[in-house]
Every structure is written in C-alpha cells, then in structure tokens.
Amino acid sequence: MEPQAVKSNLILILDYGSQYTHLITRRIRSLSIFSLCISGTSSLKSITDLNPSVIILSGGPHSVHAHNAPSFPDGFVEYVEKNGIFVLGICYGLQLIVQKLGGEVGVGEKQEYGRMVIEVVKDCGGLFGGKKVGDKQVVWMSHGDEAVKLPVGFEVVARSEQGGIAAVENPGRRFYGLQYHPEVTHSPEGMELLRHFLFDICGVTAGWKMEDVMEEEIKVIKSMVGPDDHVICALSGGVDSTVAATLVHKAIGDRLHCIFVDNGLLRYKEQERVMGTFEKDLHLPVTCVDASVQFLSELKGVTDPEKKRKIIGKEFISVFDAFSHDLEKKLGKKPTYLVQGTLYPDVIESCPPPGSGRTHSHTIKSHHNVGGLPKDMKLKLIEPLKLLFKDEVRELGKILDVPVGFLKRHPFPGPGLAVRIPGDVTQGNALDILRQVDEIFIQAIKDAGIYDEIWQAFAVFLPIKTTGVQGDQRTHSNAVALRAVTSQDGMTADWYYFEHKFLDDVSRKICNSVRGVNRVCLDITSKPPSTIEWE
C-alpha cells in the first residue's frame, strides 16, 4: 500500500532515532489502526501530503541542545493546530514539544534509565484516563535531559519517583507528552495508555484490515504496471517472496515470470525442495537458474560483511538482467519490473545514520534488496510488502490462500548462508558443513514439535578451529553455533529456551554425524544488543 493512499485515521510517527520507534508503529497497527514511520526531519509537505489524524514524535539519542539536533519542520506547530491534529511526544519528542512551544529543557540532575515507577499527580481524565492522583505504575525510562519549565498552558500529570516530569498535556492545543516509552513491554500499562490516547482522546476508529491492504496493493500494482508490461519475480521459497509473487500474480496474471536463483548459498537440498513445492502447491511457472559458480567465484576471499551483501545483491541483479534478456527474445518485449519481498523492518533497519541529511535512525544493517542494489540497475522495483511487518505478511498470505507450509517457514536472509559464515564463505568446505549441521538442527526442532514456537532457528559456521577428542584421537576441527529466537516481527527478539536434553541430543548428533565438527555452541543473546543473524 502506498502511504499516499491512506486518507484518514493515519497515525504518523516522526522518527528521531530511538531504537524503539519501530515498536510504536507495530503496537498501533496491532490496534487495527494504520501507522507509518517517516524521518523526523521530513519536510512539512511530506507530512501534510499524508494527511495524518495523529502525529507521534519518537524518542531519540540526541539532546535538543545539540548543534543540528533533529526537529520537526518550520510551520509544523501552526499546521497541526490549524487542522486539529493531536500530537504525542515520547521522550525526545516530549522535549521537542517543550522547547519549541516556549518551555525549557535542561540536563537532569539524576539521569533515568531502565524501569522506573511513576505516579499520577493530577486527576484530569486526560492521558491516564480514569486513574487517580497517587496511582503508580512501572515504566521504561531512557533519558538524560528533562523538561524543567513547561510552556504556558501545559500541566504535569505524572512524575517519576525522583520527582522528574514523566507526563504532560495541554488538551486545548492537543499536545501531549510522555518522558517514558509506553511502546515497550517493560512498560506493562503502556498499551493501555496508547489505546486510551488514540481511541478516547483522539477519537480514532479501528478499521485497518489486511483485506484492505490486499485490495489497495492490487490497485497500486495495476496502475504501476502497464497493460503490456512484463514483470520478473525472484522466488526464494520463503514467506516474503511467496506472498509478494502471489499478490502480483493476482494483479497481472501471466505477465508475471518467476525465477528461482540457486546462488550456492542455500540450505540443504533447498533447490529441489523449493522447486517441487512451487510446481505442486503454487502452480506458478518458475524457471530455476543455477548461478552458484558465478556467486561463489565473486565471493572468494571476501570477508567484509557489507561487501559480501553488496556483491550478492549485484550478482542477483546480473542474473535477473540476463533472464530478462532471454524473456525479451521469447516475448518480443523486455520485462520492465522486478518484484522483491522487502519488508518494513528491512526499510527501517537500512536507514542511514544521523548526519546523512536523510534520517536520524542508526544503520543496523544493509539488506541486499534495500541497501545493496547497484545504481545502474535496469529493472524498476515493485515492493508490495514494504510497509508490512512479517506477521502481517503471514496474515496477508492466508487471505491469498498461500499454503500454510510456506507461511510457517522460518525467515531466511536474502544473502543466504553468507551471513552465517563470518569471513570468507568459500573457505574449505564451510558451506557443506553448515548445511548438514543446519539440517540436523532444524529437523530436531520439527521432531520435537517446537518449530512453530520459534521465530527463526539456524546454525552458524564459526571461522575457528578447536581441540577435541573423537574416536580416542585428538582432533583440531571446526566449531559451530546454534541460534534460535522468539519474536513477533523480527525487530526485537529473545533466545529460545531449549530443554537441556534437546540440546544434549542435538550436540551429540551433530558431532557424530558431521565430519569436521567437534564443538557445538549455543547463542543466548537477545536483539538488541545483537542482531538475529551473525552478519
């Protein structure tokens, strides 16, 4: 769905760089309200074109006193007041409101980070609804600066245990502010507050449905792709590309031409398994292109993670270009578009860092279908899922009658096993070892009946040799790591708590079955601070 297609009940988040900004977007969507996140330094026209009902100013790592600190555009206050738009500032967003509307922000005497208790100090029926003076709740704080003097007309409605301002409001001007993060699970009553703010204070109605997304996206695709244009779609066998292909096929029919690229970085027997499923279940015409030699030769000796991603992205486009030339000969017309299953987290996490002039989110990674495309790419992109989170894509897939087996597959990264082998992916027989280990691990998870409880599970080949004893002999072999996480949308994740017997059995089976492995480790790091993938 294009943002411009949303004309009512849009909740717009202006992103000032908080690691939690994406969670605000996701939490609001869970209330069946469409929310969209754009850069906090977007132009006033970019904001007005979207016609939001409510604007939320996110938190961020900056101080409002810093040189070139990000802020909303000139004319913003006049625009929201003239159009009756509600504004909620969170953390840095609150401080922006205070500073820009005539108050004062200073360095807090006591910085507040982590779980804190706040207390309602004014019974006004505003942000905290029916709560009374003296009511307390636990929230998640993360700030050094604080509001020390409020603009005229604003009132403090909650304070922290340390006496700091935790919530302010000016109902007459429709400005509200929270010094804490209601969007995180560490603020147990945060969702209740967001629900109350949007429905009861702002008067927003819940009505955003995935059926509407499907219908709107089909209209967008039909308007974008001319009646004689042909489209290429790269299918990986994962949820994203499968749903994207099905959606585009529904919109333009046989003018969609699907290809499956074996880049030499796929999982165990992935090519034959995926191609069999495409033909049997999806009934889509798919051409398999084996480009493994091409990809691996370009990756030989490359160790930098970002360089690997860009090489893979470039080679993918090269394959697509070659495929389009073949189609041109066959059809008498060259395909114009390329479909990619880019998701909203890919877009958010691929934002450039502060100071780039484009956004104030910190770069987490570049994704091959966002950050690694060559500038001279000849095919135009169609990214029908770019505003959706993974669980929303699965919901859309159900509506499109995509087989359950596809929808339940764990995510698999575009760069494939390249991000699961730190360093040179062509070293020795690392790829073969990793495929075998990964197959044993995933099959054990399925056999244990816990596959659907896990968001993503996989093995990692560690570029080190360790000492072991196998068959009464000293060995100097490879170590591997196992990773399994739980998550709702991939933006945050926690490691999965396996039973000890399961881990014992898997470790033994790997070391006994995979030649060249004598040590198995378990990754027990959440996201943040780590990412889900290793590179």
Side-chain angles (χ1 to χ4, degrees):
M1 181 178 357
E2 290 299 310
Q4 289 76 10
V6 181
K7 296 301 179 184
S8 63
N9 277 340
L10 167 66
I11 311 302
L12 183 64
I13 295 98
L14 297 187
D15 176 20
Y16 291 106
S18 168
Q19 61 180 313
Y20 306 125
T21 300
H22 54 272
L23 286 178
I24 307 173
T25 310
R26 189 64 196 92
R27 299 293 186 255
I28 294 173
R29 290 190 186 186
S30 71
L31 298 173
S32 297
I33 305 171
F34 185 65
S35 59
L36 184 67
C37 177
I38 66 174
S39 170
T41 55
S42 297
S43 68
L44 185 61
K45 185 178 186 305
S46 297
I47 296 171
T48 60
D49 283 350
L50 291 170
N51 191 29
S53 298
V54 179
I55 296 177
I56 296 178
L57 311 178
S58 86
H62 312 276
S63 167
V64 293
H65 300 297
H67 178 63
N68 290 328
S71 179
F72 44 71
D74 292 338
F76 174 81
V77 174
E78 293 78 8
Y79 162 70
V80 297
E81 292 193 323
K82 179 181 178 181
N83 292 276
I85 298 170
F86 290 85
V87 179
L88 173 65
I90 295 176
C91 197
Y92 179 81
L94 175 148
Q95 295 166 13
L96 270 183
I97 291 174
V98 170
Q99 184 197 55
K100 296 297 182 182
L101 270 63
E104 184 180 340
V105 176
V107 177
E109 293 184 8
K110 295 181 179 179
Q111 297 182 335
E112 297 178 318
Y113 296 100
R115 288 184 176 86
M116 301 286 292
V117 174
I118 65 169
E119 179 179 335
V120 176
V121 296
K122 182 174 178 58
D123 185 7
C124 58
L127 273 173
F128 293 96
K131 295 190 180 299
K132 297 178 173 55
V133 173
D135 285 350
K136 298 180 180 181
Q137 60 180 278
V138 176
V139 301
W140 187 260
M141 292 279 195
S142 181
H143 69 100
D145 290 352
E146 65 179 9
V148 294
K149 179 183 177 182
L150 297 184
V152 175
F154 279 76
E155 292 184 294
V156 178
V157 292
R159 289 186 178 275
S160 70
E161 282 184 311
Q162 298 183 155
I165 293 175
V168 303
E169 60 183 38
N170 184 334
R173 298 182 70 177
R174 301 189 179 191
F175 277 90
Y176 299 79
L178 299 171
Q179 189 56 73
Y180 65 91
H181 291 274
E183 69 273 20
V184 302
T185 56
H186 302 304
S187 297
E189 298 182 56
M191 275 302 293
E192 178 185 331
L193 183 139
L194 287 176
R195 185 182 292 106
H196 169 69
F197 174 72
L198 294 172
F199 291 136
D200 300 330
I201 296 179
C202 303
V204 174
T205 56
W208 186 63
K209 305 186 300 294
M210 204 51 62
E211 288 83 357
D212 298 333
V213 174
M214 179 185 71
E215 293 174 6
E216 181 61 39
E217 193 57 53
I218 288 174
K219 290 179 184 177
V220 169
I221 295 169
K222 285 183 175 179
S223 65
M224 180 188 303
V225 180
D228 297 322
D229 289 338
H230 289 261
V231 179
I232 293 177
C233 180
L235 287 173
S236 67
V239 176
D240 308 336
S241 63
T242 301
V243 174
T246 306
L247 189 61
V248 174
H249 188 258
K250 190 175 181 68
I252 65 171
D254 292 339
R255 288 182 291 129
L256 172 68
H257 307 273
C258 298
I259 62 173
F260 175 77
V261 180
D262 185 344
N263 60 0
L265 302 167
L266 301 179
R267 289 169 287 196
Y268 184 77
K269 293 187 176 179
E270 181 81 345
Q271 182 187 131
E272 58 189 83
R273 290 173 177 174
V274 166
M275 286 300 295
T277 306
F278 284 152
E279 295 169 2
K280 178 182 177 182
D281 297 320
L282 292 178
H283 308 294
L284 290 173
V286 184
T287 299
C288 180
V289 177
D290 189 342
S292 54
V293 174
Q294 174 181 334
F295 277 80
L296 296 180
S297 62
E298 290 295 322
L299 288 168
K300 187 174 180 59
V302 179
T303 58
D304 180 75
E306 291 302 295
K307 188 174 181 181
K308 286 196 290 186
R309 287 177 181 272
K310 286 179 170 54
I311 288 174
I312 293 167
K314 182 180 179 181
E315 293 308 310
F316 264 119
I317 298 304
S318 174
V319 172
F320 298 151
D321 274 345
F323 184 71
S324 69
H325 283 303
D326 292 339
L327 275 178
E328 182 179 12
K329 295 176 182 178
K330 177 181 177 181
L331 303 171
K333 181 180 180 63
K334 185 175 182 178
T336 311
Y337 294 91
L338 168 66
V339 177
Q340 288 193 326
T342 308
L343 302 191
Y344 204 36
D346 297 328
V347 176
I348 293 173
E349 293 194 349
S350 297
C351 290
S356 68
R358 286 184 288 163
T359 184
H360 287 272
S361 293
H362 290 262
T363 297
I364 306 299
K365 65 181 179 182
S366 69
H367 190 278
H368 84 267
N369 61 2
V370 177
L373 296 177
K375 295 179 181 179
D376 61 349
M377 187 183 69
K378 300 179 179 64
L379 297 169
K380 300 175 185 178
L381 283 180
I382 296 178
E383 298 174 301
L385 311 178
K386 67 182 178 182
L387 296 183
L388 300 180
F389 290 91
K390 177 72 76 171
D391 56 325
E392 294 171 331
V393 172
R394 288 193 170 107
E395 185 182 345
L396 178 60
K398 290 179 182 177
I399 298 171
L400 290 166
D401 294 323
V402 174
V404 175
F406 269 99
L407 299 178
K408 288 188 174 182
R409 287 196 96 189
H410 289 178
F412 187 66
L417 299 182
V419 295
R420 296 174 181 175
I421 302 178
D424 183 357
V425 302
T426 66
Q427 59 182 308
N429 59 341
L431 280 166
D432 288 336
I433 289 175
L434 181 57
R435 288 190 182 100
Q436 294 177 61
V437 173
D438 189 75
E439 176 72 5
I440 291 171
F441 184 37
I442 298 303
Q443 190 57 53
I445 288 174
K446 291 179 177 178
D447 292 342
I450 56 177
Y451 186 81
D452 292 344
E453 297 177 19
I454 298 172
W455 167 268
Q456 193 171 358
F458 55 89
V460 179
F461 181 90
L462 303 181
I464 57 174
K465 297 279 190 176
T466 71
T467 301
V469 178
Q470 291 173 296
D472 295 326
Q473 294 184 352
R474 181 185 177 89
T475 62
H476 195 233
S477 300
N478 300 289
V480 295
L482 306 181
R483 177 95 160 127
V485 298
T486 57
S487 179
Q488 183 181 29
D489 51 37
M491 299 299 290
T492 59
D494 196 9
W495 58 282
Y496 184 80
Y497 290 66
F498 288 108
E499 292 184 0
H500 287 182
K501 186 179 185 309
F502 173 89
L503 292 173
D504 182 50
D505 291 344
V506 168
S507 176
R508 291 174 186 274
K509 189 167 185 178
I510 289 172
C511 291
N512 290 338
S513 304
V514 182
R515 186 177 297 275
V517 174
N518 67 358
R519 192 175 301 272
V520 178
C521 308
L522 179 66
D523 183 343
I524 58 170
T525 322
S526 63
K527 174 186 179 180
S530 71
T531 55
I532 294 178
E533 297 290 349
W534 274 47
E535 284 195 339

